[in-house]
Amino acid sequence: MAEPRAFDIAIVGAGPAGLTAALYAGRNREHAVLLENKGPGGQLLNTELVEDYPGIKSILGVDLALAMTDQALSFGTEMVSADVSRIHVGAHHEPKVIETTQGTFTAPAVILTAGGNPRKLEVPGEVEFAGRGVSYCAVCDGAFFKGVHLAVVGGGDAAVEEAVFLTRYASKVTIIHRRERFRAQQLLLDTARRNEKIAWVTNAVVEGIDGDESVQRLALRDVVSGARSTLDVGGVFIFVGFIPNTGLVDTHIDHDAAGYYITDAMTMMTSVPGIFAAGDVRSQLTRQITTAVGDATTATIAAAKWVEEWKRGLDETSDELVHDVVSGAV
Ligand code: NAP
C-alpha cells in the first residue's frame, strides 16, 4: 500500500469555496492539496448564468468554473481527483488523516468545502421517475423538455431562477410552493412574475409523481383547504434546498439544526481545532458564490496561521492560544 502523502492543508471539495482556498493557499506558498471527486466547479456546473459575481456582469456557470480552476491551480496547489471517504481526527499533535479513493493524505489543517446535494421531496414516484422526468438540475436536463409543460417545486432562489431558465424550452412552467410567501430574492421573483410562461401554485404540496414511461402528472394537496388535485406535466424539477455534505469527519463537529457547520466568524474554524469550513457546508444567512469565496479566503489564511502554530508544537492545552493567534488577539 502506498505511503500517505503529507500536506499542511487539505481542501475537500472544489466548488467556488474550494477553488478559492486553493488559490490563496497556492499564492501563499502553502503545501496544500485540493481533493475533488466530480471535476471542479461545484454548483457552478449546475448554474446557467452567473450575474451576481462582482466585476463580471454575466458569465456562464461553466465558464466561471473553468476560469476559477485555471487561476487556482496556476499558483501551485495540487488538485487530486479523488473521492474522500473519511477524515480521521486524532490527537492534537497528529495531523488529520484523509482516506480517499486515491490513497491516504495527511494534513494538520483541513478546509471542508464539500458543498451539498439536492434535498429530495421524498414522495412516491420521485425515485422511480428519476431521470425519466424528475430532475434536480435545469442546466443539465432542461433541453430535453422542449415544448413540454414542466413543474418546478420550491420557493427559494434556485426554484425561481431555474424556473425562468426552463421557460427557454418548456411551453409552460408551473412553480409549486408550499407557502404563500417566497424566500427567493425579490429581483428573481420580479423577473419570474414578468415571464408569461410561468404559472404559480402556492400553498400546495406535491404528494406524488405519476406516469408511465416518464412523468405525466403530479398529485397536489392544497395545504389550506386540504383539497386534492392533479397537474398534468411532462417533467418536474425539484429545488427544495440542499443537504450539506457533512458526514466525512469521524468526530462530532458543532452544527445547526439543518446540519450546517457552525464556525467561528473570525477564522471559519469549526468546533474541532484545525478543521475549517467554507461555502455551502457552513451555517450562514445566505449561500452565494460571493459568500463562499469570502469564507474560503478567511479559512485559508486562518488555516495557514493555525498550521504555523501547530508546527511550533503547541500542546493540546493551547488551543485557546492558537485561536487567539489566528484571530489576531495576541
Ligand atoms: P432554500 O433557499 O433553502 O429554499 C428551499 C425552498 O424549498 C424553500 O422555499 C422551502 O420552503 C422549500 N422546501 C423545502 N423543503 C420542502 C419540501 N419538503 N416540500 C416542499 N418545499 C420544500 O434552497 P435553494 O433555493 O436551493 O437555495 C440554497 C442557497 O443557495 C440559498 O442560500 C440561496 O440564496 C442560494 N442560491 C442563490 C442563488 C442566486 O443568488 N442567484 C441561486 C440559487 C441558490 P419554505 O420557504 O416554506 O421553507
Side-chain angles (χ1 to χ4, degrees):
M1 200 192 281
E3 283 290 302
R5 296 188 61 200
F7 289 86
D8 286 338
I9 300 176
I11 304 157
V12 178
L19 290 168
T20 303
L23 169 68
Y24 273 79
R27 284 176 64 86
N28 292 346
R29 300 272 186 269
E30 306 299 337
H31 189 213
V33 63
L34 173 62
L35 302 165
E36 166 61 32
N37 62 351
K38 292 192 202 119
Q43 289 305 313
L44 288 177
L45 302 179
N46 299 337
T47 306
E48 205 242 350
L49 272 185
V50 175
E51 298 191 323
D52 49 12
Y53 196 72
I56 303 175
K57 202 164 181 193
S58 184
I59 186 169
L60 289 173
V62 65
D63 286 346
L64 185 56
L66 287 171
M68 281 188 173
T69 306
D70 183 42
Q71 186 184 15
L73 302 184
S74 68
F75 289 100
T77 299
E78 182 181 347
M79 182 165 74
V80 176
S81 182
D83 209 348
V84 173
S85 53
R86 207 74 181 132
I87 300 170
H88 301 279
V89 179
H92 180 78
H93 64 278
E94 295 169 339
K96 280 89 185 158
V97 177
I98 302 135
E99 287 172 11
T100 84
T101 47
Q102 295 300 314
T104 303
F105 296 76
T106 65
V110 174
I111 305 177
L112 299 170
T113 51
N117 295 307
R119 176 178 287 126
K120 306 283 188 293
L121 264 185
E122 296 183 10
V123 295
E126 184 177 18
V127 172
E128 294 84 331
F129 288 102
R132 295 190 293 134
V134 172
S135 172
Y136 305 86
C137 178
V139 174
C140 319
D141 299 330
F144 298 120
F145 295 91
K146 289 201 180 85
V148 174
H149 178 194
L150 292 174
V152 163
V153 186
D157 286 341
V160 175
E161 193 169 67
E162 301 308 330
V164 171
F165 172 75
L166 287 167
T167 60
R168 292 175 183 208
Y169 308 105
S171 56
K172 178 179 175 183
V173 176
T174 300
I175 298 180
I176 301 163
H177 180 36
R178 64 183 177 182
R179 291 190 295 149
E180 192 64 45
R181 206 176 152 73
F182 283 77
R183 65 173 76 218
Q185 298 164 49
Q186 197 55 47
L187 184 87
L188 297 176
L189 282 168
D190 291 345
T191 306
R193 289 208 166 101
R194 282 196 301 270
N195 191 316
E196 287 173 359
K197 280 189 173 181
I198 293 183
W200 307 78
V201 175
T202 53
N203 293 320
V205 290
V206 175
E207 289 194 318
I209 300 167
D210 199 10
D212 42 34
E213 290 300 298
S214 60
V215 169
Q216 290 192 320
R217 72 195 71 82
L218 304 181
L220 303 184
R221 179 171 53 84
D222 185 304
V223 294
V224 178
S225 68
R228 291 196 156 81
S229 60
T230 56
L231 181 71
D232 291 338
V233 291
V236 53
F237 284 73
I238 298 167
F239 299 106
V240 293
F242 259 85
I243 302 201
N245 208 343
T246 51
L248 296 173
V249 182
D250 73 348
T251 191
H252 172 82
I253 299 181
D254 288 352
H255 55 80
D256 65 15
Y260 293 93
Y261 288 140
I262 295 167
T263 61
D264 177 296
M266 181 80 88
T267 63
M268 301 295 146
M269 190 150 82
T270 67
S271 58
V272 176
I275 298 215
F276 299 77
D280 284 359
V281 289
R282 191 174 93 78
S283 179
Q284 56 184 314
L285 177 66
T286 185
R287 293 181 185 82
Q288 308 286 317
I289 307 166
T290 47
T291 56
V293 304
D295 292 354
T297 305
T298 304
T300 312
I301 291 168
K305 288 188 176 195
W306 191 90
V307 170
E308 227 174 84
E309 293 304 317
W310 182 85
K311 283 186 173 172
R312 275 190 214 148
L314 291 177
D315 63 24
E316 270 163 271
T317 56
S318 56
D319 281 343
E320 238 173 75
L321 173 62
V322 173
H323 181 270
D324 287 349
V325 169
V326 167
S327 64
V330 296

